[in-house]
Each structure stands twice: as structure tokens, then as C-alpha cells.
Amino acid sequence: METLLNNEVFSSFVFYAVLLVLKMYIISIIVGQLRLRKKAFANPEDALRHGGVQFVRQDPDVERARRAHLNDMENILPFLFIGAVYSLTGPSLFVARIHFLVFFLARLVHSVAYLFALKAPTRSVSYSIGQISCILMAVQVLMVVASYA
């Protein structure tokens, strides 16, 4: 483990990966808080604890935050795999940091755009920028390991 953390690219990846996971936790907490504030629960047992089964319902704000969280899971989880493998292929530290930072900032903007319903195309542009970064890393990984396939 110490050897991995001495790898500057891998350590940079770990830094941004942890920030992204923390961001996912924050969005999850936001979903839970909105459910409580809006009294819009997904499960009857939760609704019963907070006023009755009539609160097993959907709310547009809760659903928006939930979709932001689902989108994070659909995009951050693949980044965690691709970024980890990419960081072990010996890329330039400068280029790797740019990939990690761009993906992180793109996901941050995407979440803000989703939660606050920012004007289009803010969300889709930030999504695309993050995807470009991941695709470039994936291509690099494939180029490195292609001779072993």
C-alpha cells in the first residue's frame, strides 16, 4: 500500500476519488433531508414514523435530488475503476491531474446544476466534459494493455 501511495499519480487519483465519494454522500444526505422536510417517503415504515402512510409519495424536489444521486452513481463508480487503472499505467502526472480535476469539477457543476435546476445546457455540458475525461483515460488504458489481450 505504501508503494501505491508513493505513486504521485495514484495519490492524486485517491485525493479526487475521495472527494467524489464525499460528494456522493452529501447528495445522499440531501435526498434524506428533503424527504423529511417534504414528508415524501419511499417506504411505508418511514412514513408511519413521520406522520402516516399518506406520506408514502413522490415529491418533485426529492426526485430531482434522487436523480442527481443516481447520476453520480452511474458516472462516479466507473471513474473510480478507470481512474485507478489509468493511474497505474504510468501516465504523465500533469495530464493525470488534469483528467482527475476536470472530472471532479464537471461532476460538481453537474450536481449543482441538477439540484438547483440551472438553465440548460449547463448540466449536459458538464456531464459531457466529465465523460470526455473518462473516455480519454479509458483509451489510454486500452492502448497500454492491448498487447496483452
Side-chain angles (χ1 to χ4, degrees):
M1 184 64 141
E2 186 177 323
T3 304
L4 275 179
L5 293 178
N6 287 334
N7 176 334
E8 289 181 286
V9 174
F10 187 76
S11 290
S12 179
F13 163 73
V14 169
F15 176 79
Y16 287 105
V18 170
L19 288 178
L20 286 162
V21 169
L22 289 173
K23 187 190 82 58
M24 286 176 60
Y25 281 138
I26 290 167
I27 301 296
S28 178
I29 290 167
I30 290 170
V31 171
Q33 291 302 307
L34 281 170
R35 284 194 184 284
L36 288 170
R37 190 164 42 103
K38 300 283 194 148
K39 288 193 172 249
F41 301 101
N43 302 303
E45 62 273 16
D46 298 328
L48 284 171
R49 185 165 186 250
H50 295 283
V53 291
Q54 71 271 23
F55 296 118
V56 175
R57 60 187 183 86
Q58 289 187 346
D59 176 86
D61 295 331
V62 172
E63 290 306 306
R64 176 173 286 281
R66 196 177 67 76
R67 287 190 309 271
H69 181 64
L70 288 172
N71 194 279
D72 269 353
M73 289 191 296
E74 292 169 358
N75 291 277
I76 292 173
L77 294 177
F79 167 82
L80 296 177
F81 172 75
I82 292 168
V85 174
Y86 169 77
S87 69
L88 299 174
T89 64
S92 155
L93 176 60
F94 177 76
V95 173
R97 282 182 174 161
I98 289 174
H99 283 306
F100 304 150
L101 176 63
V102 164
F103 185 81
F104 171 73
L105 292 175
R107 293 310 307 170
L108 196 60
V109 170
H110 186 273
S111 292
V112 169
Y114 223 137
L115 293 174
F116 294 102
L118 298 184
K119 185 178 175 185
T122 306
R123 194 175 79 237
S124 60
V125 168
S126 63
Y127 169 84
S128 297
I129 290 170
Q131 290 305 300
I132 290 168
S133 182
C134 274
I135 289 167
L136 290 172
M137 288 189 292
V139 167
Q140 177 67 32
V141 168
L142 288 174
M143 288 172 38
V144 169
V145 300
S147 64
Y148 299 104

